Amino acid sequence: DTAVSQTPKYLVTQMGNDKSIKCEQNLGHDTMYWYKQDSKKFLKIMFSYNNKELIINETVPNRFSPKSPDKAHLNLHINSLELGDSAVYFCASSRLAGGPVDTQYFGPGTRLTVL
Amino acid sequence: GESVGLHLPTLSVQEGDNSIINCAYSNSASDYFIWYKQESGKGPQFIIDIRSNMDKRQGQRVTVLLNKTVKHLSLQIAATQPGDSAVYFCAENIAGTASKLTFGTGTRLQVML
């Protein structure tokens, strides 16, 4: 059983398009995250939601908009895609934020290629 | 062998040898540290974590050492196996920053047969 799943696994699109990546976790966790991993493997947090509430919002262009319909899902919508958005995007989840930091479990990633 | 995780260096070890992967952190307010393993085409996989009130923690074939004096973290893998080949990341959480993890640049471990 997949704990954190993402769709699609690969996404190839043209500059200027709008696209979404979906994430679901079946671990019963309250907190979900989006990370971006660049071509040099550097992994950086973008957003974090706790029980559908935004708690971490790093310096990310406002073309990126996370949406959490419920605590098991955190989707990432990207408007007006640019070449520099090409990367691998990872979703992750952990137990309740606000207490001691807990282990984050990652999904398999979505490789986004903007042409 | 030893390596410091800057600019994705590569650590090559013989199968059966012990591996040591090092990580330096800069923020003395960091109170939680975690090691992840990332295989090609996959997401980071949790290996082991440690809180700042500990100096050492052991798992199955892995040990994490934390030296707060010099802000240094290491991951030791005993009897390295081909399946250990991957990129290894350390990450830290600074107290008071919710669940935000700041990742290091990673070290690639290559196990030679």
Short mmCIF file of all heavy atoms in Angstrom, two decimals, chain A residues 27-76:
data_model
loop_
_atom_site.label_atom_id
_atom_site.label_comp_id
_atom_site.label_asym_id
_atom_site.label_seq_id
_atom_site.Cartn_x
_atom_site.Cartn_y
_atom_site.Cartn_z
N LEU A 27 -1.75 7.86 5.58
CA LEU A 27 -1.10 7.59 6.87
C LEU A 27 -1.86 8.19 8.04
O LEU A 27 -1.45 8.02 9.19
CB LEU A 27 0.33 8.15 6.85
CG LEU A 27 1.26 7.51 5.82
CD1 LEU A 27 2.53 8.33 5.65
CD2 LEU A 27 1.60 6.09 6.24
N GLY A 28 -2.90 8.94 7.74
CA GLY A 28 -3.63 9.60 8.82
C GLY A 28 -2.90 10.81 9.38
O GLY A 28 -3.21 11.28 10.48
N HIS A 29 -1.93 11.32 8.64
CA HIS A 29 -1.15 12.47 9.09
C HIS A 29 -1.95 13.76 8.96
O HIS A 29 -2.86 13.87 8.15
CB HIS A 29 0.15 12.58 8.28
CG HIS A 29 1.14 11.52 8.62
ND1 HIS A 29 2.23 11.27 7.82
CD2 HIS A 29 1.23 10.66 9.66
CE1 HIS A 29 2.94 10.30 8.36
NE2 HIS A 29 2.35 9.91 9.48
N ASP A 30 -1.55 14.73 9.79
CA ASP A 30 -2.24 16.03 9.77
C ASP A 30 -1.51 17.07 8.94
O ASP A 30 -2.09 18.10 8.59
CB ASP A 30 -2.36 16.56 11.21
CG ASP A 30 -3.24 15.67 12.05
OD1 ASP A 30 -4.46 15.69 11.86
OD2 ASP A 30 -2.69 14.93 12.91
N THR A 31 -0.24 16.85 8.66
CA THR A 31 0.58 17.86 8.00
C THR A 31 1.12 17.34 6.67
O THR A 31 1.60 16.21 6.60
CB THR A 31 1.75 18.29 8.91
OG1 THR A 31 1.24 18.62 10.19
CG2 THR A 31 2.48 19.49 8.33
N MET A 32 1.02 18.17 5.65
CA MET A 32 1.52 17.80 4.34
C MET A 32 2.39 18.92 3.78
O MET A 32 2.24 20.09 4.15
CB MET A 32 0.36 17.50 3.38
CG MET A 32 -0.46 16.29 3.84
SD MET A 32 -1.76 15.81 2.69
CE MET A 32 -0.79 15.13 1.33
N TYR A 33 3.30 18.54 2.89
CA TYR A 33 4.32 19.46 2.39
C TYR A 33 4.49 19.30 0.89
O TYR A 33 4.26 18.23 0.33
CB TYR A 33 5.68 19.15 3.03
CG TYR A 33 5.68 18.97 4.52
CD1 TYR A 33 5.24 17.77 5.10
CD2 TYR A 33 6.12 19.98 5.37
CE1 TYR A 33 5.25 17.59 6.47
CE2 TYR A 33 6.14 19.82 6.74
CZ TYR A 33 5.70 18.61 7.29
OH TYR A 33 5.71 18.44 8.65
N TRP A 34 5.00 20.38 0.28
CA TRP A 34 5.52 20.31 -1.07
C TRP A 34 6.97 20.77 -1.06
O TRP A 34 7.29 21.81 -0.47
CB TRP A 34 4.73 21.18 -2.05
CG TRP A 34 3.50 20.51 -2.58
CD1 TRP A 34 2.21 20.81 -2.29
CD2 TRP A 34 3.46 19.42 -3.49
NE1 TRP A 34 1.36 19.96 -2.95
CE2 TRP A 34 2.10 19.10 -3.70
CE3 TRP A 34 4.43 18.66 -4.16
CZ2 TRP A 34 1.68 18.07 -4.54
CZ3 TRP A 34 4.02 17.64 -5.00
CH2 TRP A 34 2.66 17.34 -5.19
N TYR A 35 7.83 19.97 -1.72
CA TYR A 35 9.24 20.28 -1.88
C TYR A 35 9.57 20.34 -3.37
O TYR A 35 8.94 19.64 -4.18
CB TYR A 35 10.13 19.20 -1.25
CG TYR A 35 10.18 19.20 0.25
CD1 TYR A 35 9.20 18.57 1.00
CD2 TYR A 35 11.24 19.81 0.92
CE1 TYR A 35 9.26 18.56 2.38
CE2 TYR A 35 11.31 19.80 2.30
CZ TYR A 35 10.32 19.17 3.03
OH TYR A 35 10.40 19.15 4.40
N LYS A 36 10.60 21.11 -3.68
CA LYS A 36 11.12 21.16 -5.05
C LYS A 36 12.57 20.68 -5.02
O LYS A 36 13.37 21.14 -4.18
CB LYS A 36 11.05 22.59 -5.59
CG LYS A 36 11.60 22.75 -7.01
CD LYS A 36 11.49 24.20 -7.46
CE LYS A 36 12.04 24.38 -8.88
NZ LYS A 36 11.94 25.79 -9.33
N GLN A 37 12.91 19.78 -5.94
CA GLN A 37 14.29 19.30 -6.05
C GLN A 37 14.81 19.68 -7.42
O GLN A 37 14.28 19.24 -8.44
CB GLN A 37 14.38 17.80 -5.85
CG GLN A 37 15.83 17.29 -5.80
CD GLN A 37 15.92 15.83 -5.41
OE1 GLN A 37 15.20 14.98 -5.92
NE2 GLN A 37 16.81 15.52 -4.46
N ASP A 38 15.88 20.48 -7.44
CA ASP A 38 16.41 20.95 -8.72
C ASP A 38 17.36 19.92 -9.33
O ASP A 38 17.55 18.83 -8.80
CB ASP A 38 17.08 22.32 -8.54
CG ASP A 38 18.29 22.28 -7.62
OD1 ASP A 38 18.87 21.20 -7.43
OD2 ASP A 38 18.65 23.33 -7.08
N SER A 39 17.95 20.33 -10.45
CA SER A 39 18.80 19.40 -11.21
C SER A 39 20.07 19.01 -10.46
O SER A 39 20.70 18.01 -10.78
CB SER A 39 19.17 20.00 -12.55
OG SER A 39 19.85 21.23 -12.35
N LYS A 40 20.44 19.79 -9.45
CA LYS A 40 21.60 19.46 -8.63
C LYS A 40 21.23 18.69 -7.38
O LYS A 40 22.01 18.56 -6.45
CB LYS A 40 22.36 20.74 -8.26
CG LYS A 40 22.93 21.46 -9.47
CD LYS A 40 23.68 22.72 -9.08
CE LYS A 40 24.23 23.41 -10.32
NZ LYS A 40 24.94 24.67 -9.99
N LYS A 41 20.00 18.22 -7.35
CA LYS A 41 19.49 17.41 -6.24
C LYS A 41 19.19 18.21 -4.98
O LYS A 41 18.91 17.62 -3.94
CB LYS A 41 20.46 16.27 -5.88
CG LYS A 41 20.62 15.22 -6.96
CD LYS A 41 19.40 14.33 -7.02
CE LYS A 41 19.63 13.14 -7.91
NZ LYS A 41 18.43 12.29 -7.96
N PHE A 42 19.25 19.54 -5.07
CA PHE A 42 18.97 20.33 -3.88
C PHE A 42 17.48 20.32 -3.60
O PHE A 42 16.66 20.61 -4.46
CB PHE A 42 19.48 21.76 -4.07
CG PHE A 42 19.35 22.60 -2.84
CD1 PHE A 42 20.07 22.30 -1.70
CD2 PHE A 42 18.49 23.68 -2.80
CE1 PHE A 42 19.95 23.05 -0.55
CE2 PHE A 42 18.36 24.45 -1.65
CZ PHE A 42 19.09 24.13 -0.53
N LEU A 43 17.14 19.99 -2.36
CA LEU A 43 15.75 19.80 -1.96
C LEU A 43 15.33 20.95 -1.06
O LEU A 43 15.94 21.19 -0.01
CB LEU A 43 15.64 18.46 -1.22
CG LEU A 43 14.29 17.79 -1.05
CD1 LEU A 43 13.69 17.47 -2.40
CD2 LEU A 43 14.44 16.53 -0.23
N LYS A 44 14.25 21.65 -1.45
CA LYS A 44 13.86 22.83 -0.68
C LYS A 44 12.35 22.83 -0.46
O LYS A 44 11.59 22.57 -1.39
CB LYS A 44 14.29 24.09 -1.42
CG LYS A 44 13.99 25.38 -0.65
CD LYS A 44 14.64 26.57 -1.33
CE LYS A 44 14.13 27.88 -0.74
NZ LYS A 44 14.33 27.95 0.73
N ILE A 45 11.95 23.15 0.75
CA ILE A 45 10.53 23.18 1.04
C ILE A 45 9.86 24.38 0.36
O ILE A 45 10.45 25.46 0.23
CB ILE A 45 10.27 23.22 2.56
CG1 ILE A 45 8.79 22.97 2.85
CG2 ILE A 45 10.76 24.52 3.18
CD1 ILE A 45 8.49 22.68 4.30
N MET A 46 8.63 24.16 -0.10
CA MET A 46 7.85 25.24 -0.69
C MET A 46 6.70 25.63 0.24
O MET A 46 6.53 26.78 0.59
CB MET A 46 7.28 24.79 -2.03
CG MET A 46 8.33 24.38 -3.05
SD MET A 46 7.59 23.62 -4.51
CE MET A 46 6.74 25.02 -5.22
N PHE A 47 5.88 24.65 0.59
CA PHE A 47 4.68 24.89 1.39
C PHE A 47 4.49 23.77 2.41
O PHE A 47 4.94 22.66 2.22
CB PHE A 47 3.43 24.92 0.52
CG PHE A 47 3.43 25.94 -0.57
CD1 PHE A 47 3.70 25.56 -1.88
CD2 PHE A 47 3.14 27.26 -0.31
CE1 PHE A 47 3.70 26.48 -2.90
CE2 PHE A 47 3.13 28.20 -1.32
CZ PHE A 47 3.42 27.81 -2.62
N SER A 48 3.72 24.12 3.46
CA SER A 48 3.27 23.11 4.40
C SER A 48 1.86 23.46 4.86
O SER A 48 1.56 24.63 5.12
CB SER A 48 4.20 23.02 5.60
OG SER A 48 3.67 22.14 6.57
N TYR A 49 1.01 22.44 4.92
CA TYR A 49 -0.36 22.60 5.41
C TYR A 49 -0.58 21.69 6.61
O TYR A 49 -0.19 20.52 6.60
CB TYR A 49 -1.38 22.22 4.32
CG TYR A 49 -1.79 23.35 3.44
CD1 TYR A 49 -0.92 23.85 2.47
CD2 TYR A 49 -3.05 23.92 3.54
CE1 TYR A 49 -1.29 24.89 1.66
CE2 TYR A 49 -3.43 24.97 2.73
CZ TYR A 49 -2.55 25.46 1.79
OH TYR A 49 -2.92 26.48 0.98
N ASN A 50 -1.24 22.21 7.62
CA ASN A 50 -1.64 21.42 8.77
C ASN A 50 -3.15 21.48 8.89
O ASN A 50 -3.71 22.55 9.09
CB ASN A 50 -0.98 21.94 10.04
CG ASN A 50 -1.34 21.10 11.24
OD1 ASN A 50 -1.31 19.88 11.18
ND2 ASN A 50 -1.71 21.75 12.34
N ASN A 51 -3.80 20.33 8.73
CA ASN A 51 -5.27 20.29 8.79
C ASN A 51 -5.89 21.36 7.89
O ASN A 51 -6.75 22.13 8.30
CB ASN A 51 -5.77 20.48 10.22
CG ASN A 51 -5.81 19.17 10.97
OD1 ASN A 51 -6.10 18.12 10.40
ND2 ASN A 51 -5.50 19.22 12.24
N LYS A 52 -5.44 21.41 6.67
CA LYS A 52 -5.92 22.30 5.61
C LYS A 52 -5.53 23.76 5.81
O LYS A 52 -5.95 24.62 5.04
CB LYS A 52 -7.44 22.19 5.45
CG LYS A 52 -7.96 20.80 5.15
CD LYS A 52 -9.38 20.81 4.65
CE LYS A 52 -10.33 21.36 5.67
NZ LYS A 52 -11.72 21.45 5.13
N GLU A 53 -4.72 24.04 6.81
CA GLU A 53 -4.30 25.43 7.05
C GLU A 53 -2.84 25.61 6.68
O GLU A 53 -1.98 24.82 7.10
CB GLU A 53 -4.51 25.78 8.52
CG GLU A 53 -4.10 27.20 8.87
CD GLU A 53 -4.28 27.50 10.34
OE1 GLU A 53 -4.95 26.70 11.04
OE2 GLU A 53 -3.74 28.51 10.82
N LEU A 54 -2.52 26.65 5.93
CA LEU A 54 -1.15 26.93 5.50
C LEU A 54 -0.31 27.34 6.70
O LEU A 54 -0.66 28.28 7.42
CB LEU A 54 -1.16 28.04 4.45
CG LEU A 54 0.18 28.42 3.85
CD1 LEU A 54 0.74 27.29 3.01
CD2 LEU A 54 0.04 29.70 3.02
N ILE A 55 0.79 26.63 6.94
CA ILE A 55 1.65 26.98 8.07
C ILE A 55 3.07 27.34 7.64
O ILE A 55 3.78 28.01 8.38
CB ILE A 55 1.70 25.85 9.13
CG1 ILE A 55 2.17 24.53 8.51
CG2 ILE A 55 0.37 25.70 9.82
CD1 ILE A 55 2.45 23.45 9.57
N ILE A 56 3.51 26.89 6.50
CA ILE A 56 4.81 27.28 5.96
C ILE A 56 4.60 27.73 4.53
O ILE A 56 3.99 27.02 3.73
CB ILE A 56 5.83 26.12 5.99
CG1 ILE A 56 6.12 25.69 7.42
CG2 ILE A 56 7.13 26.53 5.29
CD1 ILE A 56 7.03 24.46 7.53
N ASN A 57 5.12 28.89 4.22
CA ASN A 57 5.03 29.41 2.86
C ASN A 57 6.37 30.08 2.58
O ASN A 57 6.59 31.21 2.98
CB ASN A 57 3.87 30.39 2.74
CG ASN A 57 3.66 30.85 1.30
OD1 ASN A 57 4.44 30.51 0.41
ND2 ASN A 57 2.61 31.60 1.08
N GLU A 58 7.24 29.34 1.92
CA GLU A 58 8.56 29.88 1.61
C GLU A 58 8.44 30.89 0.46
O GLU A 58 7.36 31.12 -0.07
CB GLU A 58 9.51 28.75 1.24
CG GLU A 58 9.83 27.87 2.42
CD GLU A 58 10.59 28.60 3.51
OE1 GLU A 58 11.77 28.92 3.32
OE2 GLU A 58 9.99 28.85 4.58
N THR A 59 9.55 31.47 0.11
CA THR A 59 9.55 32.47 -0.97
C THR A 59 9.36 31.76 -2.30
O THR A 59 10.32 31.32 -2.94
CB THR A 59 10.87 33.25 -0.97
OG1 THR A 59 11.09 33.77 0.33
CG2 THR A 59 10.81 34.39 -1.97
N VAL A 60 8.11 31.61 -2.66
CA VAL A 60 7.75 30.92 -3.88
C VAL A 60 6.91 31.87 -4.72
O VAL A 60 6.06 32.57 -4.18
CB VAL A 60 6.94 29.64 -3.53
CG1 VAL A 60 6.47 28.94 -4.78
CG2 VAL A 60 7.77 28.70 -2.68
N PRO A 61 7.13 31.92 -6.05
CA PRO A 61 6.29 32.80 -6.88
C PRO A 61 4.82 32.51 -6.68
O PRO A 61 4.41 31.36 -6.47
CB PRO A 61 6.74 32.44 -8.30
CG PRO A 61 8.11 31.88 -8.14
CD PRO A 61 8.15 31.19 -6.83
N ASN A 62 3.99 33.56 -6.74
CA ASN A 62 2.57 33.34 -6.51
C ASN A 62 1.89 32.62 -7.66
O ASN A 62 0.67 32.41 -7.63
CB ASN A 62 1.85 34.65 -6.18
CG ASN A 62 2.03 35.69 -7.27
OD1 ASN A 62 2.45 35.36 -8.38
ND2 ASN A 62 1.72 36.93 -6.95
N ARG A 63 2.66 32.22 -8.67
CA ARG A 63 2.12 31.32 -9.70
C ARG A 63 1.87 29.92 -9.13
O ARG A 63 1.16 29.12 -9.73
CB ARG A 63 3.11 31.21 -10.87
CG ARG A 63 3.38 32.51 -11.59
CD ARG A 63 4.34 32.32 -12.75
NE ARG A 63 5.67 31.91 -12.34
CZ ARG A 63 6.12 30.67 -12.44
NH1 ARG A 63 5.37 29.70 -12.93
NH2 ARG A 63 7.35 30.37 -12.04
N PHE A 64 2.51 29.65 -8.00
CA PHE A 64 2.33 28.35 -7.34
C PHE A 64 1.26 28.50 -6.26
O PHE A 64 1.39 29.33 -5.36
CB PHE A 64 3.63 27.90 -6.68
CG PHE A 64 4.70 27.51 -7.65
CD1 PHE A 64 5.45 28.47 -8.30
CD2 PHE A 64 4.97 26.18 -7.90
CE1 PHE A 64 6.44 28.12 -9.21
CE2 PHE A 64 5.96 25.80 -8.79
CZ PHE A 64 6.71 26.78 -9.44
N SER A 65 0.23 27.70 -6.36
CA SER A 65 -0.83 27.78 -5.35
C SER A 65 -1.20 26.39 -4.86
O SER A 65 -1.73 25.57 -5.62
CB SER A 65 -2.07 28.50 -5.90
OG SER A 65 -2.48 27.91 -7.11
N PRO A 66 -0.90 26.12 -3.60
CA PRO A 66 -1.30 24.83 -3.02
C PRO A 66 -2.78 24.88 -2.63
O PRO A 66 -3.30 25.93 -2.28
CB PRO A 66 -0.41 24.72 -1.77
CG PRO A 66 -0.14 26.14 -1.39
CD PRO A 66 -0.18 26.95 -2.65
N LYS A 67 -3.41 23.70 -2.72
CA LYS A 67 -4.81 23.61 -2.30
C LYS A 67 -5.00 22.31 -1.54
O LYS A 67 -4.62 21.25 -2.02
CB LYS A 67 -5.74 23.66 -3.52
CG LYS A 67 -5.84 25.04 -4.16
CD LYS A 67 -6.80 25.08 -5.31
CE LYS A 67 -7.05 26.50 -5.78
NZ LYS A 67 -5.81 27.22 -6.11
N SER A 68 -5.62 22.42 -0.38
CA SER A 68 -5.83 21.25 0.47
C SER A 68 -7.31 21.05 0.69
O SER A 68 -7.90 21.67 1.58
CB SER A 68 -5.11 21.43 1.80
OG SER A 68 -5.25 20.28 2.61
N PRO A 69 -7.96 20.19 -0.11
CA PRO A 69 -9.41 19.97 0.07
C PRO A 69 -9.75 19.26 1.37
O PRO A 69 -10.84 19.44 1.92
CB PRO A 69 -9.78 19.11 -1.15
CG PRO A 69 -8.50 18.47 -1.58
CD PRO A 69 -7.40 19.42 -1.22
N ASP A 70 -8.83 18.44 1.85
CA ASP A 70 -8.97 17.79 3.15
C ASP A 70 -7.57 17.41 3.62
O ASP A 70 -6.61 17.55 2.87
CB ASP A 70 -9.88 16.55 3.07
CG ASP A 70 -9.42 15.55 2.02
OD1 ASP A 70 -8.29 15.02 2.16
OD2 ASP A 70 -10.18 15.32 1.06
N LYS A 71 -7.46 16.91 4.84
CA LYS A 71 -6.12 16.75 5.39
C LYS A 71 -5.34 15.61 4.75
O LYS A 71 -4.15 15.47 4.98
CB LYS A 71 -6.16 16.60 6.91
CG LYS A 71 -6.65 15.26 7.42
CD LYS A 71 -6.47 15.22 8.93
CE LYS A 71 -6.69 13.80 9.44
NZ LYS A 71 -6.43 13.71 10.90
N ALA A 72 -6.00 14.79 3.94
CA ALA A 72 -5.30 13.69 3.26
C ALA A 72 -4.81 14.08 1.88
O ALA A 72 -4.13 13.29 1.22
CB ALA A 72 -6.22 12.48 3.16
N HIS A 73 -5.15 15.27 1.42
CA HIS A 73 -4.79 15.70 0.08
C HIS A 73 -4.18 17.09 0.08
O HIS A 73 -4.64 17.98 0.79
CB HIS A 73 -6.03 15.72 -0.84
CG HIS A 73 -6.65 14.38 -1.05
ND1 HIS A 73 -7.54 13.83 -0.16
CD2 HIS A 73 -6.48 13.47 -2.05
CE1 HIS A 73 -7.90 12.63 -0.60
NE2 HIS A 73 -7.27 12.39 -1.75
N LEU A 74 -3.12 17.23 -0.71
CA LEU A 74 -2.52 18.55 -0.92
C LEU A 74 -2.08 18.62 -2.36
O LEU A 74 -1.16 17.93 -2.78
CB LEU A 74 -1.32 18.79 0.01
CG LEU A 74 -0.67 20.17 -0.13
CD1 LEU A 74 -1.65 21.28 0.25
CD2 LEU A 74 0.59 20.26 0.73
N ASN A 75 -2.79 19.44 -3.13
CA ASN A 75 -2.49 19.56 -4.55
C ASN A 75 -1.70 20.84 -4.81
O ASN A 75 -1.78 21.81 -4.04
CB ASN A 75 -3.80 19.57 -5.35
CG ASN A 75 -4.63 18.32 -5.07
OD1 ASN A 75 -4.08 17.23 -4.90
ND2 ASN A 75 -5.94 18.48 -5.01
N LEU A 76 -0.93 20.82 -5.88
CA LEU A 76 -0.11 21.97 -6.23
C LEU A 76 -0.49 22.42 -7.64
O LEU A 76 -0.36 21.65 -8.60
CB LEU A 76 1.38 21.61 -6.19
CG LEU A 76 2.36 22.74 -6.46
CD1 LEU A 76 2.27 23.81 -5.38
CD2 LEU A 76 3.78 22.20 -6.56
#
